[in-house]
């Protein structure tokens, strides 16, 4: 059983896009960022992101809690990512998505320095 952090981002369309544009370009931006995190060795994507209720959820593992929350906080502060993101701290054996200890994102600078 490994530590897992779910990053929940509101499914809020990006404002002021052309009518034919994909309304959620920040999803791909976050996915690219998660690839970069893996290359840095900071964290690993656990699974593909998915819609869950009114949020899009990304999954991180491969680090201690402080590191995963620091990485989650970095995701929440990327340009274009909607406000209101939060993390759920859980584990890979958890049967139900959307359960765990909630941490609002971004976390404070002191906590980020731990990761």
């Amino acid at each position: 059983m490994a530590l897992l952090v779910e990053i929940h981002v509101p499914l809020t369309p990006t404002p002021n896009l052309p009518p034919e544009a994909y309304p959620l370009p920040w999803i791909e931006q976050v996915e690219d960022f998660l690839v970069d995190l893996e290359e840095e060795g900071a964290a690993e994507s656990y699974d593909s992101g998915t819609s869950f209720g009114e949020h899009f959820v990304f999954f991180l593992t491969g680090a201690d809690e402080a590191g995963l929350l620091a990485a989650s906080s970095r995701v929440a502060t990327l340009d274009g990512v909607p406000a209101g993101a939060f993390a759920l701290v859980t584990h890979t054996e958890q049967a139900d998505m959307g359960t765990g200890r909630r941490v609002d994102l971004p976390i404070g600078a002191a906590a980020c320095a731990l990761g």
Side-chain angles (χ1 to χ4, degrees), residues 32-45 60-72 74 114-115:
D32 290 344
F33 180 76
L34 296 180
V35 169
D36 292 343
L37 283 179
E38 284 193 45
E39 290 174 357
E40 291 173 13
E44 300 171 13
S45 291
L60 287 179
T61 191
D64 63 12
E65 183 174 332
L68 293 175
L69 290 175
S72 300
R74 290 172 62 191
L114 295 173

Side-chain angles (χ1 to χ4, degrees), residues 8-61:
H8 292 247
V9 180
L11 281 168
T12 304
T14 300
N16 305 318
L17 292 176
E20 67 280 354
Y22 179 62
L24 305 170
W26 53 266
I27 291 175
E28 186 173 320
Q29 179 184 1
V30 171
E31 289 172 343
D32 290 344
F33 180 76
L34 296 180
V35 169
D36 292 343
L37 283 179
E38 284 193 45
E39 290 174 357
E40 291 173 13
E44 300 171 13
S45 291
Y46 180 71
D47 201 353
S48 298
T50 187
S51 295
F52 182 71
E54 296 179 0
H55 295 91
F56 195 88
V57 182
F58 304 93
F59 305 93
L60 287 179
T61 191

